[in-house]
Amino acid sequence: MTTPSSSARPGGTVLVTGGAGFIGCAISAALMESFDRVVVVDSLHPQIHASGRRPPELAAAAELIVRDVTEAATWDDVLARVTPDVVVHLAAETGTAQSLNESTRHTHVNVVGTSQLLDGLNRHHKLPRRIVLSSSRAVYGEGAWRRADGKLFYPGQRTSVTLEKGEWDFPGAEPVAMNAAQTFPAPVSVYGATKLAQENILQAWAKSYDVETVILRLQNVYGPGQSLINPYTGIMSLFCRMAMGGKSIPLYEDGDVRRDFILIDDVASAILAGALSTTVRGTPIDIGSGEFQTIGTAAGLIARHYNAPQPHVTGQYRQGDVRHAWADVSAAADVLGWTPQYSLTQGIDLLADWIDAQPDVQPA
């Protein structure tokens, strides 16, 4: 992983919440190269960490403190021992569909976990120089669409009635790329609402104390190291396991749902840039591959990799899913000096090769 040219090695201490998860492990080695001390706070939730043990992917020199971010006592313990210069806030419940059924859990972890962190920093008089928040494209909901006359509008959440009729798109309009400078956030899932709340809470707090903020709205993250036991962390690993078993991958709606699949390596370099860049502005930044692919295209590439049957359209749908989502990444280049490096084909090959090498992995 390369460090953006606009950054410098700051040294000091970086505190990473949720740092034993998929993204945290992916950035841990690079953080060790850039900071003198890396401290990870993670609950090792069994939905992600079935064994309850420290993940081997986490850099050996990173200090792991197993505690719950939603508890005030956690921060009294951690901040008695740690004075962070930079905080990378990754800790969150991430399941879009699951958030509809477990709203309290998602709200508690994502919102209260954030406010407890901030209260702890204030209570112990240990304000960091910068906080980097891993946010989500889910804050946009369906985002903006453009009518034939060129005017933008916000269609809002698709209803059960329209979905039951198979009315997937909004007639007479085309979606546009998500851009934090132009696209108004309007989440259509509990998860998206909690991520937007995280952003708002952090910005209100940080501006009051002159703490720098870097808010990264991530698109669909996938790649080696992704949980193979958590059904709520993305479809790419699930598709690989289906194709591995010789199954035809089922496609929801009409298979033409657009997504911006971004490889974990690119996400890791974006977060590192957010932690190190000297040119931050404080406004949210979109992080994605810079282009969209349909779900059908991604599934077809995976099927071809495994020589599996072609994917098939089911017409099923999921409440809380948006129709199309992809990012305009120009601000990431301008502010952070960051651009994505991997194509979808490269990323799928890397993910599939990694899955194939895992012991005891089972086809789905």
Side-chain angles (χ1 to χ4, degrees), residues 135-141 184-188 191-193 195-197 199 217:
S135 188
S136 170
R137 58 94 174 159
V139 302
Y140 293 114
F184 186 80
V188 298
Y191 168 66
K195 296 303 287 186
L196 184 58
E199 292 186 11
R217 291 176 174 171

Side-chain angles (χ1 to χ4, degrees), residues 95-298:
T96 300
Q98 187 183 33
S99 72
L100 294 174
N101 299 319
E102 298 188 44
S103 301
T104 300
R105 174 181 162 190
H106 280 70
T107 303
H108 186 63
V109 174
N110 298 357
V111 179
V112 175
T114 300
S115 61
Q116 288 283 25
L117 163 66
L118 300 180
D119 285 348
L121 292 168
N122 195 38
R123 188 166 61 248
H124 289 268
H125 307 289
K126 291 189 175 181
L127 302 185
R129 173 174 55 84
R130 177 180 300 177
I131 298 179
V132 181
L133 173 65
S134 169
S135 188
S136 170
R137 58 94 174 159
V139 302
Y140 293 114
E142 291 288 350
W145 287 57
R146 181 176 286 111
R147 292 192 175 96
D149 61 5
K151 293 182 180 180
L152 294 180
F153 75 105
Y154 290 82
Q157 186 169 355
R158 296 181 296 172
T159 67
S160 296
V161 173
T162 59
L163 292 172
E164 281 292 334
K165 292 179 180 178
E167 297 175 357
W168 311 124
D169 287 299
F170 299 97
E174 284 292 326
V176 299
M178 294 168 168
N179 181 326
Q182 301 173 2
T183 311
F184 186 80
V188 298
S189 67
V190 173
Y191 168 66
T194 64
K195 296 303 287 186
L196 184 58
Q198 277 188 324
E199 292 186 11
N200 291 335
I201 290 168
L202 175 59
Q203 287 185 313
W205 180 91
K207 288 175 182 176
S208 297
Y209 293 106
D210 294 322
V211 174
E212 297 174 344
T213 58
V214 178
I215 296 172
L216 304 178
R217 291 176 174 171
L218 308 180
Q219 293 284 324
N220 287 55
V221 186
Y222 75 102
Q226 194 165 19
S227 174
L228 298 179
I229 63 170
N230 183 1
Y232 300 104
T233 56
I235 62 172
M236 299 294 268
S237 59
L238 175 61
F239 282 1
C240 285
R241 291 170 53 224
M242 286 180 172
M244 176 194 298
K247 294 180 181 177
S248 170
I249 298 169
L251 302 176
Y252 277 22
E253 301 189 16
D254 58 358
D256 289 332
V257 172
R258 300 179 189 178
R259 288 292 182 268
D260 188 339
F261 296 105
I262 178 168
L263 188 68
I264 182 61
D265 302 64
D266 279 335
V267 169
S269 65
I271 292 175
L272 184 66
L276 302 181
S277 175
T278 59
T279 58
V280 300
R281 295 178 189 164
T283 53
I285 297 172
D286 297 286
I287 301 297
S289 69
E291 62 182 14
F292 67 78
Q293 304 284 351
T294 68
I295 297 289
T297 297

